[in-house]
Amino acid sequence: MFRKATDLAKQGVPQADVQEWFKNERSARARRKPDNQEDPRPKPVPPPPGTVRITQKRRKCLVDEYKKLLSVCDGDSHHIVPDMVYRLGSRPKGAGMNSTANRIPNAPTLNEGMAVCLTKNQHGKGRDGIHADLKASLDDLGDRYTPNGTAPLGAILEVSKQSIDKISDLPEDCKKLAKSKLGTQVQQKNRDPEQPGRTRENSLPS
């Protein structure tokens, strides 16, 4: 259009007529453009050399016996039901972690206890960690029974499951798996839901 307008001017066509022709030609071309024809979109600008695209990768859900998780968990292996619930004294060490001595009947060993792999923040004792929530919940539960500091295993299991549910950034399918595997272990051990268990770290009354 610009070349044609220049040629018209060189041929002696008055400037006003050239401008009128240019205006009419541009309007005509606009009307001939199909309705579904879109202006080409600009191509995305590639990132500068040396930059890295960051994507969030979901952590794998790991639920298994405590000892088995220790070698594969990239965070902390957390007993879904605290080990103190089953034992009569202090936390065992070494060979005692595989022993049923000084534990309530039909209890798993420390290493057998069902566990879930959590991040450091999920597991920590801070305000957002499961330890803080579970400790408070078990303390409250233990105050309702005699002697204080104990509660039926059935009630302790429910509080432990509720604590897993409260981990906001743990995927729902992982929560379900943790609770399901815990339930399976409880059934296999054939534990009495009315059997008392500890709800506090201090020793049980004699």
Side-chain angles (χ1 to χ4, degrees):
M1 287 174 57
F2 288 101
R3 187 181 301 111
K4 179 65 175 178
T6 301
D7 292 341
L8 290 175
K10 289 180 179 179
Q11 294 171 13
V13 177
Q15 183 68 24
D17 292 343
V18 173
Q19 292 178 349
E20 183 67 19
W21 172 86
F22 188 88
K23 179 180 178 181
N24 292 337
E25 183 66 16
R26 185 170 60 181
S27 298
R29 291 193 180 192
R31 287 193 298 271
R32 290 196 298 269
K33 183 178 179 181
D35 293 339
N36 61 353
Q37 181 178 339
E38 297 181 357
D39 294 330
R41 295 181 180 181
K43 295 182 179 180
V45 179
T51 59
V52 178
R53 185 181 298 276
I54 300 175
T55 56
Q56 186 175 7
K57 184 178 179 180
R58 172 176 161 167
R59 297 176 71 249
K60 185 176 181 180
C61 178
L62 299 174
V63 181
D64 210 326
E65 293 181 0
Y66 178 77
K67 184 177 181 179
K68 294 179 180 179
L69 281 193
L70 289 178
S71 60
V72 295
C73 178
D74 60 356
D76 289 338
S77 179
H78 165 72
H79 280 102
I80 302 172
V81 174
D83 186 67
M84 70 172 184
V85 169
Y86 301 124
R87 64 178 186 254
L88 305 179
S90 58
R91 184 183 177 98
K93 299 179 181 179
M97 297 171 72
N98 294 312
S99 173
T100 57
N102 296 316
R103 301 174 78 79
I104 64 177
N106 300 322
T109 67
L110 185 147
N111 277 335
E112 288 176 338
M114 193 55 61
V116 58
C117 180
L118 300 178
T119 66
K120 297 289 184 182
N121 287 337
Q122 291 169 338
H123 188 238
K125 296 182 179 180
R127 184 178 61 181
D128 298 327
I130 190 173
H131 267 251
D133 175 78
L134 191 50
K135 181 181 183 302
S137 297
L138 289 176
D139 280 347
D140 290 343
L141 182 65
D143 286 340
R144 304 178 206 165
Y145 294 91
T146 302
N148 282 358
T150 69
L153 285 180
I156 292 175
L157 261 61
E158 287 306 311
V159 167
S160 299
K161 291 178 181 179
Q162 291 169 12
S163 191
I164 290 291
D165 281 331
K166 292 177 185 177
I167 305 177
S168 59
D169 54 348
L170 187 67
E172 288 300 318
D173 57 344
C174 194
K175 294 177 183 179
K176 290 180 180 178
L177 181 62
K179 292 183 291 184
S180 174
K181 285 200 170 187
L182 173 64
T184 299
Q185 186 178 69
V186 169
Q187 291 174 357
Q188 290 173 343
K189 291 290 183 179
N190 195 28
R191 287 197 295 273
D192 180 1
E194 296 302 318
Q195 162 73 46
R198 288 169 61 179
T199 60
R200 296 175 189 155
E201 283 289 350
N202 54 299
S203 299
L204 291 174
S206 57

